[in-house]
């Protein structure tokens, strides 16, 4: 029997989340805290997401490259503002073989410093611009908080894009565009609706002029960041001396961006969709989109298996990721539970009845619906998978919107945010001090500042009563 | 003007090699010894090779996964034989943030130990076998010898496959098959002919029962290993306790393999084909397969550019990786040198004469040939690229074979191998002591033992005169 999950999602979402990832064989723990194992079932989803994102990146003429894993302390220290946020969280290599190193080396927590040393060498004139480079790699941050599979680990798989331009306008527009690419990946590949906006002064990346973010609302009303894109201005160009001779033969600093999306996006998707039976995967990212389970109860099993293989061949021909599980050592009931745990979008049952009527029975993981269709309409399954994907996104979008409460008064704002109950949208002054006080009072922070040109919810800040500057969304961060 | 390379290949191949990689913008040095930068031009070639190899791997039902970067000392030490060869070459993390770690962590030099801890957890019965897992990652070996771009670095990008089977037969056949896959990638993607065989007792991977290898002959008659595949037997299964309940309900150790191919394959290709003008790239791996260079000398430049764009569109439509360089700030002569340096297989010149006659002029990087063809035969360029690829492999195969001298007498053998002059093929006893003596006498070692069932070259070992066991190829290792 497939062991049922011990924890129900509504009872303890964090515990349930760990259980479902391990039981479904998507992930596993290793002997090193914060360094999980991505098993083939989980890694496949990363490969799907990576391929889709890589295509978007390349479409924009950004090229992949690879920079060193280790960064000398002196290089990492160059950007004072940068290092401030990171220094305590770095893993240091101090021994090479049996010898003490003269200078200790950090495992990259992100690659700004080491990449920009090269940029400084490579860029001489406006003819060398723009530089549009991305890398897919692993980074290490020495998290001291509790680590969580995919969502907060010490080793993280991600991509980091680093571009340099002549003008502020190009750089700003690149940062914004890549934020929107992340939104597209979340929604179209992972079927997870996200909000797009800017980070507040206290929440933005320390080295950035401004940070764009895409954020998803989790079932527990916490919000989780799925990707960020930074307009860096000249903040790195100055300490790393990245200058170019412009079209008027004057030296100028380049305008830079950096943007990154990590495996945590998958963790968000799993948290949004999973249930007490296991994973619930959107078809676009599911390693197995359709599993065929023959129900053999004596009878002419040879004829049934022939029929089943015909169905398999049809679906493979349609380009569907299909698995035929005809193992005899496991019962159909065991298999139903197993593929529910693994979140397979469609289970396709074939027994004597289906054989006799030339049909198959479909069971849908996400909606729970069941339907019998004729063999000759099987090629429509590709469209069915697409519409499941669309329906999942639409339903989650609605659920997400329902979670956001628009609030105008301080008391309502504070009580809404306390106790993990709500996501609050409100007019806000945007001040660092005000955000600090909100955090003290509620435990929540601004997750993003909305960019839509919509009318201010109020003329005054919901919390401090000063002049409101924008509409922002507040929640606890997961 | 494009700076010509300072060093000629025949004068100092190592120096020339570094220069050509940096000047062509394929690679660059970073501030950390042995940790190079893979620039977009070089990384693209890795992506091509990676895609081709990944497809071969997946065709064989092996799935990608990802295991931790850091390995606790105690885990790494478990396989005594394994650690012996590696211990002095490992980079150790001893500090997390500002805290000393209780146990130091090695950056993986390879992942046998950390992966097999998981395998031991996952494998319980024959139903869990085979396990077929590959990972694409970065590994670090603290080389103390001089490092070389791509060929010997401290950080290496590669793939490592790790499979576990029920029987020795399956494992042996997997190890051999993956060796042959590496041969295919070298020959079909990189156009580099390789020899396939087994490593001798002293040259094999310490933890392996037997090691298959593919080896290329470099222009300086050194040989270089392009990929290896190990049959591990139970050498890891025993210390890591990877047991399964077999079909007769008895506990058995699994039979394992591991196999890896790294970026060094690209280094070999560059060393084999490059010349004093720069890289010479096989079309399959070239980031730019065809560069179009318009020759504008007054005249109706608008009409010429229109013609040029038409040609570009045609080639893009054919799926060719084409670059139109219509920059006016660089002369055609500068561009010829630049794309020769970058090793672009075909330069396509278009001037007034080509415009008038509805043709284009092709210059071939590898053969040096020049040819004018009509516009309407331009779609054949795809086939032309394929035949360049084929011709390069065939020509190199012949050159490689010519380098191997078959020798029967000890004196001839020793003098052939001394002074980097020859690659020697000879009958050999295969003994560790004999190999050690050959090394002392010549500086060369056995690169591989040939598997072909061909007749022994002699009944007695070319060096020690004892009974010959196999035919082997001897050379210095690069």
């Amino acid at each position: 029997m497939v062991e049922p999950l011990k924890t129900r999602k509504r009872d303890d979402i964090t515990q349930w989340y760990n259980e479902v990832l391990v039981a479904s064989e998507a992930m596993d723990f290793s002997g090193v805290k914060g360094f999980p194992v991505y098993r083939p079932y989980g890694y496949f989803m990363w490969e799907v997401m990576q391929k889709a994102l890589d295509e978007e990146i390349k479409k924009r003429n950004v090229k992949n490259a690879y920079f060193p894993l280790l960064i000398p302390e002196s290089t990492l220290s160059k950007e004072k503002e940068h290092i401030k946020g990171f220094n305590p969280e770095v893993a240091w290599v101090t021994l090479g073989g049996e010898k003490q190193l003269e200078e200790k080396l950090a495992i990259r927590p992100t690659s700004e410093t080491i990449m920009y040393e090269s940029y400084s060498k490579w860029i001489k004139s406006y003819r060398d611009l723009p530089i549009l480079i991305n890398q897919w790699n692993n980074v290490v941050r020495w998290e001291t908080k509790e680590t969580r599979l995919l969502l907060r680990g010490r080793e993280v798989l991600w991509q980091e894009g680093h571009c340099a331009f002549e003008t502020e306008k190009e750089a700003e527009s690149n940062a914004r565009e890549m934020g929107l690419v992340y939104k597209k990946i979340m929604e179209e590949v992972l079927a997870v609706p996200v909000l797009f906006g800017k980070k507040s002064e206290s929440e933005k990346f320390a080295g950035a002029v401004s940070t764009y973010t895409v954020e998803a609302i989790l079932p527990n009303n916490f919000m989780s960041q799925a990707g960020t894109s930074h307009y860096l201005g000249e903040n790195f160009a100055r300490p790393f001396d990245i200058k170019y001779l412009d079209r008027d033969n004057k030296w100028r600093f380049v305008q830079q961006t950096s943007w990154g999306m990590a495996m945590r996006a998958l963790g968000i998707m799993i948290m949004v969709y999973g249930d007490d039976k296991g994973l619930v995967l959107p078809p676009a990212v599911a390693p197995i989109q359709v599993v065929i389970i023959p129900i053999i109860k004596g009878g002419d099993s040879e004829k049934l298996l022939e029929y089943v293989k015909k169905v398999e061949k049809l679906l493979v021909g349609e380009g569907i990721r299909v698995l035929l599980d005809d193992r005899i050592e496991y019962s159909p009931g065991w298999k139903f539970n197993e593929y529910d745990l693994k979140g397979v979008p469609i289970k396709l049952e074939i027994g004597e009845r289906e054989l006799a009527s030339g049909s198959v029975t479909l069971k849908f993981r996400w909606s729970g619906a069941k339907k019998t269709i004729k063999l000759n309409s099987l090629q429509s399954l590709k469209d069915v998978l697409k519409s499941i994907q669309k329906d999942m996104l639409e339903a989650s979008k609605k659920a997400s919107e329902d979670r956001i409460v628009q609030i105008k008064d301080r008391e309502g704002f504070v009580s809404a945010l306390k106790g993990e109950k709500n996501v609050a949208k409100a007019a806000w002054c945007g001040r660092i001090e005000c955000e600090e006080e909100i955090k003290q009072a509620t435990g929540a922070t601004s997750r993003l500042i909305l960019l839509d040109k919509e009318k201010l919810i109020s003329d005054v800040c919901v919390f401090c009563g000063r002049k409101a500057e924008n509409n922002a969304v507040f929640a606890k961060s997961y």
Side-chain angles (χ1 to χ4, degrees), chain A residues 445-464:
Chain A
T445 48
S446 73
R447 301 320 306 147
L448 50 78
I449 292 166
L450 294 165
L451 300 175
D452 313 333
K453 292 278 167 260
E454 73 182 280
K455 226 177 130 272
L456 281 177
I457 294 165
S458 159
D459 293 336
V460 296
C461 174
V462 69
F463 192 76
C464 71

PDB file of all heavy atoms in Angstrom, chain A residues 445-464:
ATOM      1  N   THR A 445       5.126  42.758   6.035  1.00  0.00           N
ATOM      2  CA  THR A 445       5.827  43.851   5.343  1.00  0.00           C
ATOM      3  C   THR A 445       5.159  44.063   3.990  1.00  0.00           C
ATOM      4  O   THR A 445       4.323  43.273   3.570  1.00  0.00           O
ATOM      5  CB  THR A 445       7.305  43.497   5.104  1.00  0.00           C
ATOM      6  OG1 THR A 445       7.372  42.181   4.555  1.00  0.00           O
ATOM      7  CG2 THR A 445       8.110  43.546   6.392  1.00  0.00           C
ATOM      8  N   SER A 446       5.582  45.124   3.336  1.00  0.00           N
ATOM      9  CA  SER A 446       5.073  45.345   1.982  1.00  0.00           C
ATOM     10  C   SER A 446       5.699  44.282   1.093  1.00  0.00           C
ATOM     11  O   SER A 446       6.908  44.079   1.105  1.00  0.00           O
ATOM     12  CB  SER A 446       5.472  46.729   1.483  1.00  0.00           C
ATOM     13  OG  SER A 446       6.850  46.777   1.186  1.00  0.00           O
ATOM     14  N   ARG A 447       4.901  43.549   0.363  1.00  0.00           N
ATOM     15  CA  ARG A 447       5.451  42.562  -0.570  1.00  0.00           C
ATOM     16  C   ARG A 447       5.753  43.211  -1.902  1.00  0.00           C
ATOM     17  O   ARG A 447       6.705  42.878  -2.557  1.00  0.00           O
ATOM     18  CB  ARG A 447       4.502  41.361  -0.755  1.00  0.00           C
ATOM     19  CG  ARG A 447       4.160  40.584   0.524  1.00  0.00           C
ATOM     20  CD  ARG A 447       5.315  40.384   1.485  1.00  0.00           C
ATOM     21  NE  ARG A 447       6.460  39.775   0.860  1.00  0.00           N
ATOM     22  CZ  ARG A 447       7.723  40.023   1.179  1.00  0.00           C
ATOM     23  NH1 ARG A 447       8.025  40.900   2.120  1.00  0.00           N
ATOM     24  NH2 ARG A 447       8.700  39.435   0.563  1.00  0.00           N
ATOM     25  N   LEU A 448       4.916  44.141  -2.308  1.00  0.00           N
ATOM     26  CA  LEU A 448       5.219  44.894  -3.514  1.00  0.00           C
ATOM     27  C   LEU A 448       4.385  46.152  -3.615  1.00  0.00           C
ATOM     28  O   LEU A 448       3.332  46.274  -3.001  1.00  0.00           O
ATOM     29  CB  LEU A 448       5.065  44.036  -4.786  1.00  0.00           C
ATOM     30  CG  LEU A 448       3.799  43.225  -5.003  1.00  0.00           C
ATOM     31  CD1 LEU A 448       2.658  44.099  -5.487  1.00  0.00           C
ATOM     32  CD2 LEU A 448       4.066  42.156  -6.054  1.00  0.00           C
ATOM     33  N   ILE A 449       4.922  47.077  -4.398  1.00  0.00           N
ATOM     34  CA  ILE A 449       4.232  48.322  -4.719  1.00  0.00           C
ATOM     35  C   ILE A 449       3.647  48.144  -6.104  1.00  0.00           C
ATOM     36  O   ILE A 449       4.368  47.768  -7.048  1.00  0.00           O
ATOM     37  CB  ILE A 449       5.231  49.493  -4.688  1.00  0.00           C
ATOM     38  CG1 ILE A 449       5.697  49.716  -3.237  1.00  0.00           C
ATOM     39  CG2 ILE A 449       4.619  50.748  -5.277  1.00  0.00           C
ATOM     40  CD1 ILE A 449       6.922  50.597  -3.117  1.00  0.00           C
ATOM     41  N   LEU A 450       2.353  48.364  -6.230  1.00  0.00           N
ATOM     42  CA  LEU A 450       1.699  48.123  -7.524  1.00  0.00           C
ATOM     43  C   LEU A 450       2.067  49.213  -8.518  1.00  0.00           C
ATOM     44  O   LEU A 450       2.208  50.387  -8.153  1.00  0.00           O
ATOM     45  CB  LEU A 450       0.195  48.034  -7.323  1.00  0.00           C
ATOM     46  CG  LEU A 450      -0.221  46.805  -6.491  1.00  0.00           C
ATOM     47  CD1 LEU A 450      -1.660  46.948  -6.009  1.00  0.00           C
ATOM     48  CD2 LEU A 450      -0.054  45.520  -7.299  1.00  0.00           C
ATOM     49  N   LEU A 451       2.218  48.827  -9.766  1.00  0.00           N
ATOM     50  CA  LEU A 451       2.662  49.793 -10.779  1.00  0.00           C
ATOM     51  C   LEU A 451       1.512  50.312 -11.610  1.00  0.00           C
ATOM     52  O   LEU A 451       1.648  51.296 -12.322  1.00  0.00           O
ATOM     53  CB  LEU A 451       3.670  49.129 -11.719  1.00  0.00           C
ATOM     54  CG  LEU A 451       4.934  48.597 -11.052  1.00  0.00           C
ATOM     55  CD1 LEU A 451       5.778  47.850 -12.063  1.00  0.00           C
ATOM     56  CD2 LEU A 451       5.731  49.746 -10.449  1.00  0.00           C
ATOM     57  N   ASP A 452       0.384  49.612 -11.559  1.00  0.00           N
ATOM     58  CA  ASP A 452      -0.745  50.002 -12.386  1.00  0.00           C
ATOM     59  C   ASP A 452      -1.087  51.449 -12.080  1.00  0.00           C
ATOM     60  O   ASP A 452      -0.994  51.904 -10.937  1.00  0.00           O
ATOM     61  CB  ASP A 452      -1.964  49.119 -12.086  1.00  0.00           C
ATOM     62  CG  ASP A 452      -1.550  47.653 -12.054  1.00  0.00           C
ATOM     63  OD1 ASP A 452      -0.575  47.316 -12.725  1.00  0.00           O
ATOM     64  OD2 ASP A 452      -2.193  46.882 -11.320  1.00  0.00           O
ATOM     65  N   LYS A 453      -1.516  52.102 -13.107  1.00  0.00           N
ATOM     66  CA  LYS A 453      -1.814  53.526 -12.941  1.00  0.00           C
ATOM     67  C   LYS A 453      -3.169  53.725 -12.261  1.00  0.00           C
ATOM     68  O   LYS A 453      -3.788  54.785 -12.381  1.00  0.00           O
ATOM     69  CB  LYS A 453      -1.790  54.221 -14.314  1.00  0.00           C
ATOM     70  CG  LYS A 453      -0.404  54.296 -14.945  1.00  0.00           C
ATOM     71  CD  LYS A 453       0.419  55.472 -14.377  1.00  0.00           C
ATOM     72  CE  LYS A 453       1.884  55.366 -14.755  1.00  0.00           C
ATOM     73  NZ  LYS A 453       2.747  54.828 -13.685  1.00  0.00           N
ATOM     74  N   GLU A 454      -3.637  52.695 -11.576  1.00  0.00           N
ATOM     75  CA  GLU A 454      -4.969  52.841 -10.968  1.00  0.00           C
ATOM     76  C   GLU A 454      -4.961  53.901  -9.870  1.00  0.00           C
ATOM     77  O   GLU A 454      -3.929  54.242  -9.302  1.00  0.00           O
ATOM     78  CB  GLU A 454      -5.488  51.503 -10.447  1.00  0.00           C
ATOM     79  CG  GLU A 454      -4.815  50.987  -9.201  1.00  0.00           C
ATOM     80  CD  GLU A 454      -5.378  49.626  -8.782  1.00  0.00           C
ATOM     81  OE1 GLU A 454      -6.454  49.603  -8.161  1.00  0.00           O
ATOM     82  OE2 GLU A 454      -4.744  48.596  -9.083  1.00  0.00           O
ATOM     83  N   LYS A 455      -6.124  54.412  -9.605  1.00  0.00           N
ATOM     84  CA  LYS A 455      -6.295  55.487  -8.637  1.00  0.00           C
ATOM     85  C   LYS A 455      -5.810  55.038  -7.247  1.00  0.00           C
ATOM     86  O   LYS A 455      -5.960  53.886  -6.869  1.00  0.00           O
ATOM     87  CB  LYS A 455      -7.796  55.824  -8.544  1.00  0.00           C
ATOM     88  CG  LYS A 455      -8.108  57.322  -8.577  1.00  0.00           C
ATOM     89  CD  LYS A 455      -9.607  57.515  -8.547  1.00  0.00           C
ATOM     90  CE  LYS A 455     -10.053  58.510  -7.501  1.00  0.00           C
ATOM     91  NZ  LYS A 455     -10.313  58.048  -6.154  1.00  0.00           N
ATOM     92  N   LEU A 456      -5.240  55.956  -6.499  1.00  0.00           N
ATOM     93  CA  LEU A 456      -4.857  55.649  -5.118  1.00  0.00           C
ATOM     94  C   LEU A 456      -6.104  55.267  -4.318  1.00  0.00           C
ATOM     95  O   LEU A 456      -7.155  55.905  -4.455  1.00  0.00           O
ATOM     96  CB  LEU A 456      -4.195  56.859  -4.465  1.00  0.00           C
ATOM     97  CG  LEU A 456      -2.729  57.116  -4.828  1.00  0.00           C
ATOM     98  CD1 LEU A 456      -2.235  58.392  -4.149  1.00  0.00           C
ATOM     99  CD2 LEU A 456      -1.859  55.928  -4.427  1.00  0.00           C
ATOM    100  N   ILE A 457      -5.978  54.237  -3.518  1.00  0.00           N
ATOM    101  CA  ILE A 457      -7.113  53.774  -2.717  1.00  0.00           C
ATOM    102  C   ILE A 457      -7.540  54.859  -1.742  1.00  0.00           C
ATOM    103  O   ILE A 457      -8.707  55.022  -1.418  1.00  0.00           O
ATOM    104  CB  ILE A 457      -6.725  52.471  -1.969  1.00  0.00           C
ATOM    105  CG1 ILE A 457      -6.485  51.359  -3.001  1.00  0.00           C
ATOM    106  CG2 ILE A 457      -7.781  52.072  -0.963  1.00  0.00           C
ATOM    107  CD1 ILE A 457      -5.761  50.157  -2.457  1.00  0.00           C
ATOM    108  N   SER A 458      -6.534  55.619  -1.281  1.00  0.00           N
ATOM    109  CA  SER A 458      -6.829  56.735  -0.377  1.00  0.00           C
ATOM    110  C   SER A 458      -5.743  57.792  -0.567  1.00  0.00           C
ATOM    111  O   SER A 458      -4.665  57.492  -1.070  1.00  0.00           O
ATOM    112  CB  SER A 458      -6.847  56.222   1.065  1.00  0.00           C
ATOM    113  OG  SER A 458      -6.652  57.294   1.962  1.00  0.00           O
ATOM    114  N   ASP A 459      -6.014  59.018  -0.169  1.00  0.00           N
ATOM    115  CA  ASP A 459      -4.985  60.063  -0.287  1.00  0.00           C
ATOM    116  C   ASP A 459      -3.936  59.940   0.809  1.00  0.00           C
ATOM    117  O   ASP A 459      -2.839  60.485   0.694  1.00  0.00           O
ATOM    118  CB  ASP A 459      -5.615  61.467  -0.177  1.00  0.00           C
ATOM    119  CG  ASP A 459      -6.494  61.742  -1.368  1.00  0.00           C
ATOM    120  OD1 ASP A 459      -6.261  61.108  -2.428  1.00  0.00           O
ATOM    121  OD2 ASP A 459      -7.427  62.556  -1.243  1.00  0.00           O
ATOM    122  N   VAL A 460      -4.308  59.234   1.883  1.00  0.00           N
ATOM    123  CA  VAL A 460      -3.375  59.149   3.010  1.00  0.00           C
ATOM    124  C   VAL A 460      -2.951  57.708   3.282  1.00  0.00           C
ATOM    125  O   VAL A 460      -3.673  56.761   2.992  1.00  0.00           O
ATOM    126  CB  VAL A 460      -3.999  59.736   4.308  1.00  0.00           C
ATOM    127  CG1 VAL A 460      -4.268  61.226   4.129  1.00  0.00           C
ATOM    128  CG2 VAL A 460      -5.254  58.978   4.699  1.00  0.00           C
ATOM    129  N   CYS A 461      -1.760  57.584   3.828  1.00  0.00           N
ATOM    130  CA  CYS A 461      -1.185  56.269   4.146  1.00  0.00           C
ATOM    131  C   CYS A 461      -2.056  55.544   5.166  1.00  0.00           C
ATOM    132  O   CYS A 461      -2.437  56.124   6.186  1.00  0.00           O
ATOM    133  CB  CYS A 461       0.227  56.451   4.714  1.00  0.00           C
ATOM    134  SG  CYS A 461       0.958  54.908   5.308  1.00  0.00           S
ATOM    135  N   VAL A 462      -2.363  54.292   4.885  1.00  0.00           N
ATOM    136  CA  VAL A 462      -3.254  53.506   5.730  1.00  0.00           C
ATOM    137  C   VAL A 462      -2.716  53.377   7.160  1.00  0.00           C
ATOM    138  O   VAL A 462      -3.488  53.229   8.107  1.00  0.00           O
ATOM    139  CB  VAL A 462      -3.484  52.102   5.116  1.00  0.00           C
ATOM    140  CG1 VAL A 462      -2.189  51.279   5.184  1.00  0.00           C
ATOM    141  CG2 VAL A 462      -4.625  51.353   5.790  1.00  0.00           C
ATOM    142  N   PHE A 463      -1.387  53.474   7.318  1.00  0.00           N
ATOM    143  CA  PHE A 463      -0.808  53.216   8.632  1.00  0.00           C
ATOM    144  C   PHE A 463      -0.428  54.495   9.369  1.00  0.00           C
ATOM    145  O   PHE A 463      -0.799  54.683  10.530  1.00  0.00           O
ATOM    146  CB  PHE A 463       0.405  52.297   8.500  1.00  0.00           C
ATOM    147  CG  PHE A 463       0.884  51.749   9.809  1.00  0.00           C
ATOM    148  CD1 PHE A 463       0.201  50.713  10.441  1.00  0.00           C
ATOM    149  CD2 PHE A 463       1.999  52.287  10.443  1.00  0.00           C
ATOM    150  CE1 PHE A 463       0.626  50.212  11.664  1.00  0.00           C
ATOM    151  CE2 PHE A 463       2.430  51.787  11.673  1.00  0.00           C
ATOM    152  CZ  PHE A 463       1.739  50.753  12.274  1.00  0.00           C
ATOM    153  N   CYS A 464       0.309  55.409   8.699  1.00  0.00           N
ATOM    154  CA  CYS A 464       0.828  56.577   9.413  1.00  0.00           C
ATOM    155  C   CYS A 464       0.042  57.858   9.138  1.00  0.00           C
ATOM    156  O   CYS A 464       0.268  58.875   9.789  1.00  0.00           O
ATOM    157  CB  CYS A 464       2.310  56.799   9.085  1.00  0.00           C
ATOM    158  SG  CYS A 464       2.589  57.391   7.406  1.00  0.00           S
TER     159      CYS A 464
END
